[in-house]
Amino acid sequence: MHKVINYAHRGASGYCPENTMAAFARGLELGATGIETDVQVSKDGKLVLIHDEQLKRTTGAEGLVKDYDWETLQSLDAGTWFNTDYAGEKLPSLEQLFELVKQKDTILNLELKNGFIQYAGLEEQVITMIKRYDMVERTIISSFNHYSLALCNKLAPEIQTGILYMEGLYEPWNYADQVGSTALHAFKYAVIPELVTEAAKHGKIYNPFTVNEVPEMKMLIAAGVAGIITDYPDRLAALLEFN
Ligand code: G3P
Ligand code: MG
């Protein structure tokens, strides 16, 4: 049986403030073999890892990520909202994450957060950095913006991409082919075992999100998914030990 990739969603976000270096490091300690994170762009063009377009929820600051320069973003506290033990955690850059994993064999799942805000040049910038860190073989780019993925596939067909979606796409392998993607990053309830089997016949893999309960993990492993995106990589690691 293939080894299911254990993607820590926004790092080990069940235990640490999401998308911080603490969360990424904890994910690896807990047995994650991959890290999923969300990529946006600061006003001065730095690739910054944060889920929401708005800063409010995780830093308390007003306004949008895109309207702040990197230096100002670095002055924000991205840990306290979760737990005061993490006071002073900063918003990481994509470079910092690459530095963390470059000497390891961790797989990166970089979600481009360009569903609402169009960041000009984001795709080129991310691809350039993946190549600079020699991470082509162990990075997958994902997005809910499938035009953006189609552009990635055109710019760098050697880098794998995964289409993110919430509901029941009809024959998603055919749709993924149109976009030029090989992976189906489906919301967990849009995954049924027959689809996983059929997708495999068409050369497509599933990496469902966000799967936090052990029975769901078991079902998806048995169905043959390639990876699972979870806030609790320790739970998945424990299951995978016996698979
Ligand atoms: O990449 C899987 C998952 O992260 C997509 O949704 O909102 O958690 O970024 P979201
Ligand atoms: Mg995400």
Side-chain angles (χ1 to χ4, degrees):
M1 187 190 243
H2 70 277
K3 195 73 182 166
V4 175
I5 299 170
N6 181 350
Y7 289 103
H9 179 240
R10 312 179 195 175
S13 58
Y15 301 106
C16 296
E18 65 186 54
N19 284 325
T20 60
M21 293 309 291
F24 301 142
R26 188 77 187 280
L28 299 180
E29 284 163 21
L30 294 177
T33 51
I35 291 174
E36 187 270 356
T37 188
D38 306 294
V39 185
Q40 303 202 46
V41 188
S42 69
K43 189 176 179 183
D44 53 345
K46 187 94 170 173
L47 297 172
V48 51
L49 307 180
I50 181 169
H51 179 271
D52 300 3
E53 292 81 4
Q54 299 272 353
L55 289 162
K56 192 74 179 176
R57 180 175 63 87
T58 56
T59 72
E62 299 296 333
L64 299 166
V65 177
K66 74 173 182 64
D67 294 328
Y68 283 76
D69 61 25
W70 172 245
E71 196 181 329
T72 312
L73 290 172
Q74 283 296 276
S75 70
L76 303 178
D77 177 347
T80 297
W81 73 276
F82 184 83
N83 185 314
T84 50
D85 289 349
Y86 293 97
E89 275 295 323
K90 294 178 191 301
L91 295 173
S93 65
L94 181 57
E95 267 167 312
Q96 286 174 280
L97 178 58
F98 274 121
E99 289 292 336
L100 176 72
V101 303
K102 72 179 181 186
Q103 305 297 349
K104 311 180 196 295
D105 52 9
T106 313
I107 312 280
L108 289 186
N109 172 1
L110 304 180
E111 181 187 347
L112 307 187
K113 270 287 180 240
N114 51 3
F116 301 115
I117 292 174
Q118 306 304 309
Y119 293 108
L122 171 63
E123 295 85 356
E124 288 90 338
Q125 221 181 321
V126 169
I127 288 166
T128 300
M129 198 175 290
I130 293 169
K131 289 182 176 171
R132 172 144 59 86
Y133 278 91
D134 199 17
M135 288 283 294
V136 168
E137 300 295 324
R138 40 186 189 111
T139 303
I140 183 162
I141 299 174
S142 58
S143 182
F144 284 100
N145 182 338
H146 302 166
Y147 285 96
S148 175
L149 292 181
L151 177 58
C152 290
N153 293 329
K154 193 170 153 212
L155 293 172
E158 68 276 29
I159 299 174
Q160 208 186 358
T161 61
I163 54 169
L164 277 159
Y165 61 98
M166 291 300 294
E167 290 173 2
L169 281 186
Y170 179 70
E171 297 184 345
W173 46 88
N174 289 331
Y175 177 70
D177 258 346
Q178 287 182 28
V179 179
S181 297
T182 52
L184 305 169
H185 290 207
F187 181 56
K188 58 189 175 183
Y189 298 134
V191 184
I192 55 173
E194 292 78 5
L195 288 178
V196 180
T197 307
E198 198 57 32
K201 290 182 194 159
H202 293 81
K204 307 297 180 197
I205 58 167
Y206 271 88
N207 293 319
F209 68 95
T210 301
V211 186
N212 289 337
E213 304 307 325
V214 168
E216 296 173 331
M217 291 173 178
K218 283 185 177 165
M219 186 280 278
L220 291 166
I221 293 167
V225 299
I228 291 179
I229 301 168
T230 178
D231 298 335
Y232 298 94
D234 51 334
R235 296 179 187 170
L236 182 55
L239 277 184
L240 293 175
E241 265 188 50
F242 302 103
N243 270 277

